[in-house]
């Protein structure tokens, strides 16, 4: 077969333009064959080719074993290095420094804790290797070891520290150590404080800008712990800022001063003020400098870090920062946007928002299709295409190529983040900066049109179930929430909000607001429907809204939106029919009948909707509407009877009463927590001690009801008889009990403290009634008027007075005496006088209980979110390091002592294990001989022997650990065998036939084990 | 620390992928194409820092927790565009953005010295040299060397750096020699 080397592969790939895929498949096939061949060179070449192809996404994990084979070959320099611990250990001791270097760069990629533990002893001596390149790589590799196995640092850190303190050490080694210390530093800054003098010395020696940057970064984590450092650092940092020609160093100086809190620490002193001014001025200069967008970007990054502590300093430069939100570069815009959110005040809010809105409107939307075409990786992985034009590839890459510039459309996630930022700016601190809510509602409607097309239109709305938020998909929901928020909180603009909701809902405007074929912006519909329902009386065109809501096309909306629609429809309907307070005329009747018919037509198919929420609401309102239809058609009109007839009570009272009650007010997220637990609340006593029994009973009942389930039950459920029997009690027992037994054992109250006398009951009742007079959620049995609805009256009459409502504990919501707190205007602190004559809007704040603000909840929430937050891709977790202390010298020494002792112990254990294996081997041999006694075909073992030889190669790479595992394996096998032997003795003749075949495999295994050990021994001898 | 170094050309064809964390081949490719999508859309006048690609973006988009935990997560994508190639470095916040730009420059200059007027073809045919140069500069995600001379010297000490195969001469290439094969 024609065998390709790597060049031929690459060349071939380039030659097969158009059918690369086919070519690669062929090449992969060849590699598969080559890799299994005998020739080590050929194997190595095949692997090299596979590695090349892996870069293009062709998995090569299947070849990992062949990699080991190649590594184990005596031939050096195969260029293919992956894992195998003993191999690495051996190569670490190689006299050739290139080999050591290769191993050192390999280890970080393959390291795991147990491997780290075993490699540590081989790595440590390399730190004093004569060649600095080896020393620095060893130190970095030790750092990666420490990440997976923090104990590494106990023996390693003293040595690293000595290297750092050694002034004769090679500069590049020192720099590498600084890099490592910088990575370690932010985890445990306190451990590195003792190094401060040496670091300071290195910083002022001013030899290497790279190192200076890292030292400054390190210092910025140390200064918060040691305030005296600030004074020491200020002069050198100031001088660097003033003198250095390296922009990166200059920037990192400023950054370090900001991050290290040096600005705050030195505040008030002359040097401190000077440095603060210097920093901010330099940053400003970076922002305005022409032609270097990188400086603009990093300056914004630095500004963002200052805002937390020095908002005033940053806002002095708001002019230049605001300019950046219109920068041509989206990276810069995004950074500026982060900053701008913090700089918004009542004066500049509208200007900034309008600027951003203009940006969204003028830039085209990123077409989703083009995104997908770019994402080749998503579909079939990147293919190595034949290269397009070779001339291009010969262009020396040092000369920067200039492409023709074209303004790209805004990417969707940027679009989403702009919208989110706008909402954040406007709604911050309960609209503290908002002067004009009518304007804001207009902005919100505009934003709906700017919502980015969601990537997965099918997954739209899915977050309601899964709680997963994908920014680009759900901004529309956020806009909807805002609209709702404004409608609820700001009474004055409710009519405007209702009108806005109408404009979003109306079908004839749908084309314009929501582009066809995309669900972008549709997330707002749910909120819009709610507003339309809740404030239906304020809708400019109630009838049209109902028509749009109940349009057949609405049935295709995502379930959560549809559920909201279903809730809004009867509300709008109620308002519509209640609007006519006059006589019940024929036209009125026709109208109402038509309306009900339309709604019923819409609801009927939804009774079978897949979503339970939708289904339930549809069923409920369908019945209500049928009731309404009946009432409308049966009620005689005035013209029929010849006189004035009032419209049906159902329309004027019953249905409206369902939806009008106390006004909905915003409630703080933490309010529920502040509700005091009633003293008599006992959650531990079962509500019904018979519950289990009842459930079983209910299950039995439904069994008989539902024939269709029989088959399912037959196969899937435990025979119910068994379940019943476990619960069954003698019938006599049941009879003997008082009938009300289940009720008498209290739900919430301890029976002992339950007031038994009637007077006390009445007293309690009266007290509770008083307390709950204004509570909308409390149903007062004696209050016939007011909010008590007709339906409630009916219920009450039907059930009779004996229904003890008081026995149902009602949670009290102490919302102030007369709900005055609900309308409490938010203290509006606006320092600078408004530019425009400010309209006065009353904004309802969150209702809450007690003084504890919602912060506690949100804080704990965010904290738990943080801890749950997924590890980012590519992230190297260093959290293990934070538990390890390096500071104390004595413990460190003893610990490293312990470490060595432990290693010793491990080695002892290992030798013990090896002895154990040896012993087992002997036992097995004996056992095998025992089996051999039985007439087993001789050639059977012969065949196996051949196999064994083959297996030997594979086993070369095996580690000592594997032997341990084998030992266990062997013991279990051994036991099995013994057992089998015993069985044999019990029934020698009958079992003989089967045993023969069984035995054929059994001895092979034992033999194999033996061979492995032999191989290992050989290895040891080497 | 540095989480990954990527080199790909104007068409998104990878020339070097080096991840300092174990990552599935398919995820690698996905990340590569996400970054390519981002980088390809940028006009040349843009700055050299990319927003985080979707795969790397933190889970909560609205709030950026400034807690220490975020120091471990990659937060910076720095790139430079040279002729037909993009050089990309993904790193955490412990790296200095401007210094990373210089680091890429050193890398390219080292390649240029080793290949004498380096071009994409050199990298295609010598991808192991690309790796060798990188290994001299970054080990396990930590920068070990920034001095151009030392990097070049380190690579040369491992053996001769092959130029691209003899018959891949520049003159031959521009004649469209590949079309005939």
């Amino acid at each position: 077969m024609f065998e390709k080397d790597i060049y031929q592969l690459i060349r071939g790939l380039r030659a097969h333009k158009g059918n690369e895929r086919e070519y690669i498949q062929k090449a992969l096939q060849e590699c598969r064959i080559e890799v299994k061949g005998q020739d080590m060179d050929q194997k190595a070449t095949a692997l090299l080719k596979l590695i090349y192809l892996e870069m293009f996404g062709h998995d090569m994990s299947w070849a990992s074993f062949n990699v080991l084979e190649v590594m184990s070959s005596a031939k050096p320099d195969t260029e293919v290095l992956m894992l195998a611990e003993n191999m690495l250990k051996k190569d670490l001791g190689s006299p050739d420094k290139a080999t050591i270097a290769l191993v050192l760069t390999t280890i970080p990629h393959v390291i795991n804790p147990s491997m780290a533990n075993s490699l540590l002893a081989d790595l440590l001596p390399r730190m004093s290797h004569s060649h600095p390149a080896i020393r620095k790589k060893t130190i970095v590799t030790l750092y990666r070891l420490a990440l997976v196995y923090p104990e590494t640092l106990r023996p390693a850190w003293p040595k690293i520290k000595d290297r750092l303190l050694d002034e004769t050490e090679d500069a590049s080694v020192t720099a590498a150590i600084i890099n490592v210390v910088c990575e370690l530093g932010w985890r445990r800054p306190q451990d590195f404080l003792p190094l401060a003098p040496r670091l300071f010395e290195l910083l002022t020696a001013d030899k290497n800008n790279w190192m200076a940057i890292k030292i400054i970064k390190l210092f910025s984590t140390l200064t918060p712990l040691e305030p005296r450092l600030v004074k020491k650092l200020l002069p050198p940092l100031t001088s660097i800022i003033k003198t250095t020609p390296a922009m990166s160093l200059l920037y990192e100086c400023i950054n370090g001063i900001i991050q290290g809190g040096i600005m705050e620490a030195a505040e008030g002193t002359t040097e401190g003020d000077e440095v603060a001014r210097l920093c901010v001025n330099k940053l400003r200069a970076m922002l305005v400098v022409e032609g270097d967008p990188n400086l603009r970007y990093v300056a914004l990054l630095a500004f963002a870090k200052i805002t937390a502590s020095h908002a005033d300093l940053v806002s002095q430069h708001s002019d230049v920062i605001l300019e950046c939100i219109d920068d041509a570069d989206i990276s810069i815009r995004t950074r500026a946007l982060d900053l701008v959110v913090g700089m918004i005040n009542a004066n500049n809010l509208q200007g900034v928002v309008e600027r951003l809105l203009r940006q969204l409107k003028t830039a085209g939307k990123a077409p989703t299709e083009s995104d997908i075409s770019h994402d080749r990786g998503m579909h079939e992985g990147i293919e190595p295409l034949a290269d397009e034009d070779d001339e291009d590839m010969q262009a020396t890459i040092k000369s920067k190529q200039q492409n023709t510039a074209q303004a790209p459309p805004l990417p969707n996630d940027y679009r989403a983040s702009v919208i989110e930022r706008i909402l954040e700016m406007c709604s911050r601190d309960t609209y503290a900066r908002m002067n004009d809510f009518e304007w804001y509602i207009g902005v919100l409607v505009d934003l709906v049109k700017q919502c980015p097309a969601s990537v997965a239109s099918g997954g739209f709305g899915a977050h309601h179930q899964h709680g997963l938020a994908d920014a680009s998909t759900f901004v529309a929901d956020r806009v909807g929430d805002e609209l709702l928020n404004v409608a609820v909180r700001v009474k004055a603009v409710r009519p405007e909000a209702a009108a806005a909701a109408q404009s979003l809902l109306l079908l004839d405007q749908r084309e314009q607001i929501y582009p066809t074929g995309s669900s972008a912006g549709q997330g707002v519909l749910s909120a819009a429907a709610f507003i339309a329902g809740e404030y239906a009386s304020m809708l400019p065109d109630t009838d049209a809204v109902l028509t749009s809501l109940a349009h057949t096309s609405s049935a295709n909306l995502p379930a959560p939106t549809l559920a909201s629609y279903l809730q809004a429809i009867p509300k709008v309907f109620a308002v519509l029919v209640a609007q006519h307070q006059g006589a019940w005329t024929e036209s009125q009747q026709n109208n109402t009948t038509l309306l009900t018919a339309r709604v019923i037509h819409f609801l009927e198919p939804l009774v079978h909707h897949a979503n339970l929420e939708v289904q339930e609401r549809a069923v409920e309102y369908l019945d209500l509407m049928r009731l309404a239809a009946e009432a409308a058609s049966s009620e005689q009109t005035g013209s029929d009877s010849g006189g004035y007839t009032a419209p049906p009570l159902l329309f004027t009272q019953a249905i409206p009463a369902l939806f009008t009650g106390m006004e909905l007010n915003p409630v703080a997220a933490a309010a529920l927590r502040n509700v005091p637990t009633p003293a008599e609340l006992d959650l531990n006593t079962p509500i019904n001690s018979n519950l289990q029994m009842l459930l079983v009973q209910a299950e039995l009942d439904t069994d008989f009801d539902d024939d269709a389930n029989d088959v399912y039950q037959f196969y899937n459920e435990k025979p119910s008889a068994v379940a019943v029997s476990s619960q069954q009690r003698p019938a006599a027992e049941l009879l003997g009990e008082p009938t009300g037994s289940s009720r008498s054992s209290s739900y919430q109250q301890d029976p002992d403290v339950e007031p038994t006398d009637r007077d006390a009951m009445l007293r309690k009742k009266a007290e509770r009634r008083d307390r709950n007079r204004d509570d909308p959620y409390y149903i007062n049995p004696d209050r016939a008027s007011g909010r008590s609805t007709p339906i409630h009256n009916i219920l009450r009459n039907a059930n009779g007075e004996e229904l003890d409502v008081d026995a149902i504990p009602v949670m009290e919501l102490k919302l102030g005496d007369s709900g005055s707190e609900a309308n409490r205007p938010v203290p509006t602190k606006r320092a600078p006088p408004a530019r425009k004559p400010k309209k006065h809007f009353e904004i309802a704040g969150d209702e809450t209980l007690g003084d504890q603000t919602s912060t506690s909840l949100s804080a704990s929430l965010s904290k738990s979110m943080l801890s749950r937050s997924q590890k980012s891709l590519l992230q190297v977790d260093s959290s293990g390091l934070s538990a390890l202390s390096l500071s104390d010298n004595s413990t460190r020494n003893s610990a490293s002592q312990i470490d060595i002792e432990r290693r010793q112990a491990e080695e002892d254990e290992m030798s013990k294990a090896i002895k154990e294996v040896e012993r087992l081997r002997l036992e097995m041999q004996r056992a095998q001989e025992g089996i051999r006694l039985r007439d087993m075909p001789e050639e059977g073992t012969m065949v196996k022997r051949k196999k064994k030889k083959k297996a030997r190669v594979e086993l070369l790479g095996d580690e000592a650990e594997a032997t341990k595992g084998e030992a266990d394996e062997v013991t279990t096998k051994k036991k099995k065998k013994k057992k089998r032997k015993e069985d044999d003795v019990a029934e020698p003749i009958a079992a003989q036939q089967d045993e023969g075949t069984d035995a054929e495999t059994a001895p092979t295994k034992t033999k194999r084990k033996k061979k492995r050990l032999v191989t290992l021994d050989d290895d040891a001898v080497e | 620390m540095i989480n990954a170094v990527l080199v790909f050309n104007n068409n998104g064809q990878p020339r070097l992928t080096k991840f300092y964390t174990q990552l599935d081949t398919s995820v690698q490719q996905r990340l590569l194409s996400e970054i390519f999508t981002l980088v390809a859309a940028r006009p040349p006048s843009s700055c050299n820092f990319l927003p985080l690609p979707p795969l790397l973006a933190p889970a909560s988009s609205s709030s950026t927790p400034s807690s220490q935990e975020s120091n471990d997560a990659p937060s910076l994508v720095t790139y430079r565009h040279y002729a037909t190639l993009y050089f990309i470095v993904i790193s955490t916040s412990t790296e200095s953005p401007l210094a990373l730009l210089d680091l890429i420059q050193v890398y390219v200059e080292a390649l240029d010295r080793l290949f004498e007027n380096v071009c994409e073809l050199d990298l295609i045919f010598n991808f192991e040299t690309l790796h060798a140069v990188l290994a001299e500069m970054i080990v396990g995600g930590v920068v070990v060397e920034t001095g151009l001379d030392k990097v070049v010297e380190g690579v040369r000490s491992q053996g001769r750096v092959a130029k691209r195969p003899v018959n891949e001469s520049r003159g031959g290439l521009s004649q469209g020699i590949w079309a005939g094969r």
Side-chain angles (χ1 to χ4, degrees), chain B residues 112-131:
Chain B
D112 191 51
R113 276 223 206 153
L114 288 164
F115 288 111
E116 290 148 35
N117 252 336
V118 65
C119 66
E120 191 184 345
L121 272 179
D122 293 320
L123 308 187
I124 295 173
F125 283 101
N126 294 289
F127 84 121
E128 64 270 28
T129 310
L130 267 178
H131 279 276

Side-chain angles (χ1 to χ4, degrees), chain A residues 6-7 10-11 14-15 48 51-52 54-59 79 97-98 104-105 108-110 136-137 140-141 143-144 170 172 176 179-180 182-183 186-187 208 210 213-214 217 247-248 251-252 293-295 297-298 301 329-332 374-378 382-385 387-388 390-406 408 420-421 471 478 866 872-879, chain B residues 1 3 10-23 25 27 29-33 37 41-42 44-51 55-56 61 65 67-69 71-74 81-85 87 90 93-99 101-103 106 108-109 112 117-121 123-128 135-136 139-146 150 157-158 162 165 167-168 170 173-174 178 181:
Chain A
I6 179 86
Y7 291 120
I10 297 170
R11 259 188 233 152
R14 290 159 58 82
L48 202 56
I51 293 170
Y52 184 80
E54 201 205 16
M55 185 164 73
F56 294 92
H58 296 277
D59 185 51
E79 296 192 66
K97 80 178 172 64
L104 288 173
T105 44
H109 293 268
V110 295
K136 68 186 178 194
K137 286 180 182 173
V140 172
T141 304
Y143 161 69
R144 288 302 297 253
D170 187 275
S172 68
N179 283 345
V180 167
C182 186
E183 293 295 330
W186 65 268
R187 273 282 176 199
N208 181 344
W210 303 85
I213 287 172
K214 287 289 180 163
K217 277 205 170 264
M247 194 53 96
S248 53
Y251 170 72
E252 288 303 334
N294 289 332
L295 292 184
Y297 182 86
V298 293
L301 273 185
D329 187 341
I330 283 186
S331 295
I332 293 176
H374 272 308
D375 277 354
R376 274 173 294 146
M378 189 175 168
I382 291 175
E383 273 181 67
L385 299 172
D387 303 304
E388 297 278 318
D390 288 316
E391 267 155 71
D392 245 19
M393 272 175 215
Q394 285 185 83
T396 48
I397 57 182
K398 280 194 71 190
S399 60
K400 231 180 161 172
Q401 200 201 7
Q402 298 288 308
N403 277 339
T404 47
Q406 85 274 23
E420 274 181 7
R421 288 308 154 97
R478 298 270 310 265
L866 254 181
S872 165
L873 209 71
L874 281 178
Q875 178 172 337
V876 177
D877 192 16
S878 69
S879 55
Chain B
M1 67 177 286
N3 302 91
N10 289 345
N11 301 320
Q13 295 291 301
R15 296 298 174 222
L16 165 104
T17 55
K18 187 80 176 170
F19 295 89
Y20 294 101
T21 322
Q22 294 278 335
L23 214 57
T25 321
V27 184
Q29 297 297 312
R30 180 102 190 86
L31 188 63
L32 203 68
S33 81
T37 309
R42 294 177 70 77
S45 59
S46 316
C47 71
N48 296 36
F49 305 100
L50 286 182
L55 265 179
L56 295 179
S61 56
S67 82
Q68 288 213 319
E69 301 305 314
N71 265 357
D72 264 347
H81 190 194
Y82 293 92
T84 57
L85 291 172
F87 289 75
I90 304 173
S93 60
T94 53
E95 299 297 333
S96 160
L98 294 176
L101 286 174
D102 292 347
L103 189 75
V106 171
V108 173
E109 276 179 28
D112 191 51
N117 252 336
V118 65
C119 66
E120 191 184 345
L121 272 179
L123 308 187
I124 295 173
F125 283 101
N126 294 289
F127 84 121
E128 64 270 28
E136 283 302 303
V139 171
V142 179
V143 178
V144 291
E145 187 56 73
T146 49
K150 288 202 170 170
S157 73
Q158 290 173 34
N167 56 347
E168 316 283 328
R170 271 162 209 220
L173 276 175
S174 45
W178 300 110
R181 297 205 177 194

Side-chain angles (χ1 to χ4, degrees), chain A residues 47 60-71 82-83:
Chain A
L47 287 180
M60 65 167 288
S61 55
W62 55 268
S64 55
F65 191 79
N66 307 99
V67 175
L68 285 184
E69 270 187 311
V70 172
M71 284 179 66
M82 276 184 82
L83 58 160

Side-chain angles (χ1 to χ4, degrees), chain A residues 645-774:
Chain A
T645 315
L649 225 60
L650 190 72
F651 294 139
T652 54
Q653 281 186 38
I655 293 183
L658 281 176
F659 303 111
T660 54
M662 250 206 171
E663 201 170 298
L664 293 172
N665 286 318
V667 176
L672 196 62
R673 277 195 165 184
N674 298 339
V675 175
T677 317
E680 64 269 26
L681 181 70
D682 176 12
L683 295 171
N684 296 323
T685 317
I687 293 172
N688 188 338
S689 47
N690 256 345
L691 180 69
Q692 207 56 37
M693 172 91 171
L694 287 175
L695 285 179
V696 172
Q697 197 64 45
E699 215 160 76
L700 277 178
D701 289 349
T702 50
D703 284 356
F704 295 120
D705 286 344
D706 199 346
D707 288 337
N709 269 347
D710 276 359
V711 180
Y712 172 81
Q713 247 151 29
F714 180 79
Y715 286 106
N716 292 295
E717 279 179 22
K718 278 190 262 177
S720 46
V722 178
V724 172
S725 73
S726 67
Q727 288 294 325
Q728 252 173 1
R729 288 189 291 170
E733 204 179 58
L734 278 176
L735 284 173
E737 271 177 351
T739 40
S741 68
S742 58
R743 291 198 57 180
S744 73
S745 55
S746 166
Y747 309 128
Q748 270 92 14
Q749 286 177 329
D750 197 313
D752 298 334
V753 277
E754 192 175 15
T756 38
D757 63 324
R758 197 165 161 67
D759 274 359
M761 272 276 254
L762 285 175
R763 207 168 45 241
K764 276 199 96 172
K765 216 174 187 174
E767 271 172 23
R768 197 169 284 140
R769 200 183 307 133
D770 273 355
R771 255 183 293 152
N772 298 321
R773 184 162 290 141
D774 290 311

